[in-house]
Amino acid sequence: MAKFYFEDFQPGYTAEYGPRLVTREEIIAFAAQYDPQPMHLDEVAAQKSMLGGLGASGWHSCGIMMRMICDGFMLDSASMGAGTVEEVRWQRPVRPGDRLTLRLTVLEARASKSRPDMGIVRIRYEMLNAHNECVMTMVTPAMFGRRPAEASS
Amino acid sequence: MAKFYFEDFQPGYTAEYGPRLVTREEIIAFAAQYDPQPMHLDEVAAQKSMLGGLGASGWHSCGIMMRMICDGFMLDSASMGAGTVEEVRWQRPVRPGDRLTLRLTVLEARASKSRPDMGIVRIRYEMLNAHNECVMTMVTPAMFGRRPAEASS
């Protein structure tokens, strides 16, 4: 049995996950593989870039966020995936040594008209650094299975 | 000198990059680190999932796309970053052995009002598999430096 079903994500529900330490090594390793722009790879080049110093690829931040979502609740949920991301905003650089926390807020929740076993939950995620500055936001409609009758008691 | 400046991305401009082979090993390696849902890690579990077989994490697909963007033109451009993604759609699973191509289409291009050295280019990316099926789309406003006078002759 999953722990989290559609019914657990009511509008206004919030949760917080983390903190998750981000290391220089993983910033560079991710960038070398997926986003080899100098500002994500090399401190000297990064100083001269718009990041003003080494910072994680925005797609690395997305991966870190996804891992925090998985560990926070997704792997213990009746998740049915998400085919869309409405919006991603990278608001501040993610730096080596940052400790990130993730805040989840349910914006909307509605039962599926075509699939009675499923509901759609529109979620806003905000990733914060240790200074409580928002480094990234994402809004996504996620699909979750509905709680079976025997599990609702 | 960069090869690609704001002026090179006129509305309607298209380009294609790739192909890029996706391996089972990298699908599993990415998932183990950033998105450890069984459908991205294990063939048997994936068969029973909504993917109907092992498929890459959507965030892995984003990383692959970013790498194709970097290799395709970004590293050779006057890129000034992108703070936002308007939309990501994961339309079909990305499978082990897929050879992906990336199609770029410029939707809009406008000079920055506040920064005369910069322009904003709204780009749609479509990632296609070898069957010419679209596996993923992304729309993002990217910032590019303007071509210096001495480089335009």
Side-chain angles (χ1 to χ4, degrees):
Chain A
M1 295 299 307
K3 188 171 169 195
F4 297 100
Y5 290 90
F6 168 71
E7 286 76 5
D8 296 305
F9 299 100
Q10 296 296 314
Y13 173 82
T14 64
E16 210 166 291
Y17 311 106
R20 158 70 144 81
L21 174 67
V22 182
T23 68
R24 177 179 307 270
E25 290 68 30
E26 69 177 317
I27 286 176
I28 293 170
F30 184 97
Q33 197 163 3
Y34 295 111
D35 191 355
Q37 299 184 77
M39 62 191 169
H40 306 312
L41 281 173
D42 177 79
E43 184 64 60
V44 174
Q47 291 287 350
K48 291 178 278 183
S49 77
M50 62 282 225
L51 293 187
L54 194 74
S57 164
W59 299 108
H60 187 197
S61 301
C62 288
I64 290 171
M65 193 179 62
M66 188 65 216
R67 180 59 189 256
M68 293 175 79
I69 291 170
C70 283
D71 293 344
F73 71 96
M74 190 76 88
L75 296 181
D76 210 8
S77 79
S79 169
M80 298 173 79
T84 311
V85 174
E86 284 180 33
E87 177 192 288
V88 175
R89 290 181 181 271
W90 296 298
Q91 299 190 318
R92 280 184 187 76
V94 171
R95 304 292 191 188
D98 270 357
R99 285 175 194 277
L100 302 177
T101 54
L102 183 65
R103 187 182 295 154
L104 170 159
T105 305
V106 174
L107 302 178
E108 296 171 46
R110 59 184 174 82
S112 169
K113 282 175 188 130
S114 57
R115 294 196 50 176
D117 61 330
M118 193 178 95
I120 298 109
V121 182
R122 200 160 152 261
I123 300 175
R124 176 192 303 280
Y125 293 101
E126 296 162 284
M127 206 150 70
L128 309 169
N129 63 22
H131 307 294
N132 220 33
E133 296 166 334
C134 183
V135 295
M136 176 182 167
T137 63
M138 179 179 82
V139 177
T140 184
M143 297 172 283
F144 291 95
R146 306 207 50 165
R147 186 181 296 278
E150 62 266 37
S152 62
S153 60
Chain B
M1 294 301 306
K3 188 170 168 195
F4 297 101
Y5 290 90
F6 167 70
E7 285 76 6
D8 296 305
F9 300 99
Q10 295 297 313
Y13 172 82
T14 64
E16 208 165 292
Y17 312 106
R20 159 68 145 82
L21 174 67
V22 182
T23 68
R24 177 179 306 272
E25 290 67 31
E26 70 177 314
I27 287 176
I28 293 171
F30 184 98
Q33 196 163 4
Y34 294 112
D35 191 356
Q37 299 185 76
M39 60 191 170
H40 306 314
L41 281 172
D42 177 79
E43 185 63 62
V44 176
Q47 290 287 350
K48 290 179 279 184
S49 77
M50 62 282 223
L51 293 187
L54 194 73
S57 165
W59 298 108
H60 187 197
S61 301
C62 289
I64 291 170
M65 191 178 63
M66 189 65 217
R67 180 59 190 258
M68 294 174 79
I69 291 170
C70 283
D71 293 344
F73 71 95
M74 190 75 88
L75 296 182
D76 210 8
S77 78
S79 169
M80 298 175 78
T84 312
V85 174
E86 283 179 33
E87 178 191 288
V88 175
R89 291 181 182 270
W90 296 298
Q91 299 190 318
R92 278 184 189 76
V94 171
R95 305 291 191 189
D98 271 356
R99 284 175 196 278
L100 302 176
T101 54
L102 183 65
R103 187 182 296 154
L104 170 158
T105 305
V106 174
L107 303 178
E108 296 171 46
R110 59 184 175 81
S112 169
K113 283 176 187 128
S114 57
R115 294 196 50 178
D117 61 332
M118 191 178 96
I120 298 108
V121 182
R122 199 160 153 260
I123 300 175
R124 177 192 303 281
Y125 293 101
E126 296 162 284
M127 206 151 69
L128 309 168
N129 63 23
H131 307 293
N132 221 32
E133 297 167 333
C134 183
V135 296
M136 175 180 166
T137 64
M138 180 178 83
V139 177
T140 184
M143 296 171 285
F144 291 94
R146 306 205 53 164
R147 187 181 295 276
E150 62 267 40
S152 63
S153 59

